[in-house]
Amino acid sequence: MKFALFNDERIEATKGAKGKCPCCGSELIAKCGEVYAHHWTHKKKCVDHWWENETEWHRNWKNQFPKEWQEIIQKDESGEKHIADVKTSSGWVIEFQHSAIAREERDSRDYFYTKLIWVVDGTRRKTDIKQFQNLINEAIFIANEPLVSKIDYPEDYRLIREWDSSKSLVLIDFSIDELWLIYPSNNVIYVSSFLRNSFIELMNNTQSDEVYKMLLNPIKTKLIEEAEQEEKRIHTLSKPVSRRIGYI
């Protein structure tokens, strides 16, 4: 945890500092060693069961956004509270997910946050990078700018299988220049690339809704085109065939 509360102000961890968890109010311990980034840790487990220890990947992503957007407490009508990794000024929550997550917990977050984008660490398992590259090589190419491809058998790929049922936007980060969007539709998965720096820049410039459109519009356009082509095909097949019977 990057921020604690002290006298109702958010403070970062420094040696000897005291603070409380902004979510559950319990006492925190300042960890200020020389190996890991300074952070706060709970003496007892936080009531926010979604909270997890941060990796360097996790912290680096959060630091791409203003401090006032980081670790924002969100509460629903029932009073349930959770700490969003980042919440933009336009209301989008970004959750950075490194560790494995149960589908039930992921679904709960999808419904708790009404406007949510997942950024998933694709480097956690070394085999995922190779699997995803094989997926791109075998996928059906649809469009070039931006790159959009279609996958007919997504269950063959573990990372896709784990995230294809999410109700929110899912971006996979392989620590390269592009992020990869996973978009399910009618038992088929569409994947599209988006520049990492463009995503960060647009989200920081309060253009979160534009990011949503830029990510999805190319895929939705292709879905409409495919639907129109299928409709024409069915219409053609349904036409009566005239045949002349007899001798010429």
Side-chain angles (χ1 to χ4, degrees), residues 44-61:
K44 298 180 180 179
K45 190 173 179 62
C46 183
V47 297
D48 183 1
H49 54 276
W50 293 351
W51 189 256
E52 60 186 9
N53 293 330
E54 291 185 343
T55 62
E56 184 178 354
W57 172 87
H58 199 138
R59 178 64 68 92
N60 287 341
W61 259 110

Side-chain angles (χ1 to χ4, degrees), residues 146-201:
L147 177 64
V148 179
S149 298
K150 181 170 70 173
I151 306 162
D152 285 327
Y153 303 100
E155 65 275 5
D156 293 342
Y157 302 94
R158 181 168 53 184
L159 193 59
I160 301 293
R161 191 169 62 242
E162 291 171 349
W163 287 94
D164 65 358
S165 63
S166 176
K167 303 298 187 295
S168 305
L169 286 180
V170 178
L171 296 169
I172 308 296
D173 175 24
F174 289 108
S175 295
I176 55 177
D177 291 339
E178 297 90 7
L179 300 172
W180 285 90
L181 169 70
I182 297 174
Y183 186 81
S185 177
N186 298 326
N187 298 319
V188 172
I189 299 296
Y190 292 83
V191 293
S192 179
S193 62
F194 195 79
L195 286 175
R196 183 180 189 271
N197 288 340
S198 296
F199 172 76
I200 294 169
E201 181 180 353

